[in-house]
Amino acid sequence: MQHRGLIHLSHVSLWLLFAQTSADLPLCKESDYHFEYTECDVLGSRWRVAVPNKANACTGLPDPVKGTQCTFSCSEGEFLDMQSQECQKCAAGTYSLGTGVAFDVWDSLPTGFITYGVSSNNEDSHINCYNSTWTPKGDYVASNTDECSSVLSYAVSLKKPGIVTYEYFYPDTNIYFEFFIQNDQCQSTESESRWMKTSEDKWSKYQVELKKGNNVLYWRTTAYSVLGDAVKPVLLRDISISGVAYTSECFHCKPGTHSAKPGSARCATCPANTYSTKGATVCHQCEQDQYAEAGSGICKPRPACTNSDYFYTHTPCDSEGKTQLMYKWIEPKICNETTEGSVMLPASGEKQTCPPCNPGFFVTNSSTCEPCSSGLYSNGTACDECPVGTEPVLGLEYKWWNTMPSNMKSFILRQRFSDYDHNTAWEVAGDYVYTTPGDEDTDLLMLTLSVPGYRLPESLAKDSERGELSQITFVFETVCTADCRLYFQAGNNLWNKNVVEQWKGSNSKQSYTYLVQSNSTVSFRWSFQRTETFLTERKYSGDIAKIYSIHLTNVIGGVASQCRHCALSTDNTDSACVPCPPGHYMVNGTGQCMRCSQNSYIRAEQPVGEAACIQCGPNTERNEAYSACLSDCTLGVQMRGQPLLHYDFSPLANVTGFNSGSRFTNKGLKYFQHFNVTLCGKEGRLPATCVENVTDSATMVKGYVCQSTIVPSEIRSQSVVSSQPFVIGDSLIGVTTDTALSGISSPQWLFPSESSLPDVIFYYKSSKVTQACKQGRSATIRLRCEPTVTAKDHITLPSNCSEGTCDGCVFHLLWQSQHACPLCTKNHYREIVSACLQGIQKTTYVWQQPLQCFGGESLPAQKVNACVSLDFWLKFGVTTGIIAALLLISVSCYFWKKTRKLQYKYSKLVMTSGGKECELPTADSCAIMEGEDAEDDLMDLTKKSFFTKMKSFSRERSSDGFDSVPLKSSSRFQREDSDSDDS
């Protein structure tokens, strides 16, 4: 760096030497050149050199001198005098940021700023975004309002850490606005939040620290409107950046501003009815017949007064309890009453008796209205105690409009923004509050209502099923001759208000109700615009909007206008209410509690008495708090001539989300509808939740079925942008196979089916009422058995109603799943018995076709049994015959043997009879002793086989033909005889 600086100086010296010797030029005067600093070297030093304003115009430039250190800077309101290299104060009528730059005039895009438009959706490359840029509007620069991303950037090199400060006006949530910074490596720097917060009704200031070095500042917007409504642009002004090297001059104050003292860092704005020119030190008063808005550079002639320059109002009640109709000029007054043709302010009306106070308030001795104390209620005259068995219903109710309530205010938002302080937008008129004539027909006349929060009564605080905290109901009317619109918005008081509903043209007197489901919704706004087409003069100032009454329930710090029966109250001993037990209602005028019929619940907003008991729908059961009906995800369906079918939808009970097909706005921006569903479940289940994540304070709705609009993600750093959430069903009506229930229909032609198995339909309803849906939105979820569908979230919409609804009020969904089938039983399968092969017979079980069940009983395993074939019986018969023959032979042999023994014994007896005929031996000599036969048999069986005995019988036959078988006794006798003979 040091060598480069020396080379630069040598080049400058050579140029000066060449300039002096090349021509005979006049000597340079101070007006012929200016001073600049060289680049800083590594030591932080630099040189001041003179640079001619025009080449070869003069000679004799001052020699380079050593400059100030690179870290040198001047304070605010000062500039660096390059001649003396010292800081000096800016003169009156000028200003300086010292080490900064400021951009407060936007007649054209300042030098260094770049703006361009790009498509927000790469898939829609046919969209032409060339002209979608930021546009200078004099005092500010405005963003685009189409569906392209518009970028405004500025690159700056800082010698030390600095700060960027700017003011912005961001009134519309239908446009996304972000600010971020990149360094020279194109890396985004970290900040608390790159997403800007919406403005309420005035400019917001934003400030971010910058690092030393190169910084590129980016402001980017993308408009998004599904309904095709006009989008209000983002406005920027007064951009200032500190931390640059230095400023060698002061800037003149722009017209409409001035600086009275030297050394000013900013120029002050001229007040109303004054003006100033460029570089002014004072503001000049306009002439009597002229006027000027604050910050004006010129005065305008005052127009003649018309009927649109005044409004009527009712004065507050005085000490005598009187009020009167009064006419007032719209402030600040710009019209001239003395001009020919001007109208005069009408005279005030006569004093009349004041109406009563608003419900929950009472009249004091000074005729003012004060709120009733805790535990009391009032109809607007005096405070009374709630009767036994009731509790005060806290809220806010306005139906008399003699003064604007302290928590309500009105203001005007100009379509062409300015600092014009005109705050008369809505005015009280006794019976209603109405919109006053605006300065321009395109003005937005706004009325806001702010509350600290909500709290459910003791009777509803426990086990609240629907998540409803409060509800706001208002009665309104619009009378229009042009394309007027009335917007109703709800959201966070500081950052966000979503458009809930809007009405176009004239609307007769009617009521609208909105349910509050989050404590973050603490602000409401009614905005009325006579036309979106800018006109040079007022033409529709007679178009008005009126609000007759506003009623908001369960407000923290609210007052009580009535008392309610506390049939659902908890057992809180601190409560002043004497409640009935759960599931009971109080008989009117008696204080006695009666039980509701079986399987019914109590709705708090229903009339007291028996009418408060609501019967649960088919296949649902009331919860323990007696406040809603629930389904345990099981169901039994009886079909004619078939056994009972059992269903278990528990696998489908968790929160399930799905998207509709892609949609495109008129300008080609891609979006789709996202649904979240909680099918069934007992207490403690997670509800389906839909959110809005456009701003930091997201809006959330909860219920059984909800929907939000999803925009693909190149618009911002998040993956998707979710907006416009609403609840389709917050209570379960019933579960049945019928195609209609409680006035809700689910026609079969929406989802044709050829299956003989009926679809199970869940019916839901939302208590939120809209202009198009007077009975509230509702939903039907048709569960269809598809055993082949394994995904749990196979949900589709009707083909002829691609948004899921054909009328905007009843939504229809088809959920195909295997878990939507009845549980399998023995009736869903059959058995197949095979032939007997090799002694084995198999029994196989198969499902009935087509299969229309899932889960439940499993298919039994194959059975194997032993069996007997025809060959076996043949073999068995032959074997049995052989065994029977052998047995017969054995028996025959046995009896034959017995017969032979008897013959033998008989022979023996004959032989031992001594030859005497007909004389048997005596019992002592020839009787068979007990046991001899058994012994002979044993000896014969043990000593001789059957065939041996047969042979012996044939050899021992006597000459007379009888067998000769010696007996043991005779043998013994013979042996004895022989022994005696021998002796």
Side-chain angles (χ1 to χ4, degrees), residues 476-491:
F476 70 98
E477 178 186 15
T478 58
V479 180
C480 301
T481 59
D483 56 337
C484 70
R485 292 193 183 189
L486 176 64
Y487 301 90
F488 174 62
Q489 299 168 270

Side-chain angles (χ1 to χ4, degrees), residues 59 108 133 138 171 175 466 622 652 663 843:
T59 185
S108 61
T133 59
I175 189 170
R466 294 176 299 166
R622 59 151 182 84
L652 307 178
R663 304 285 184 272
T843 303

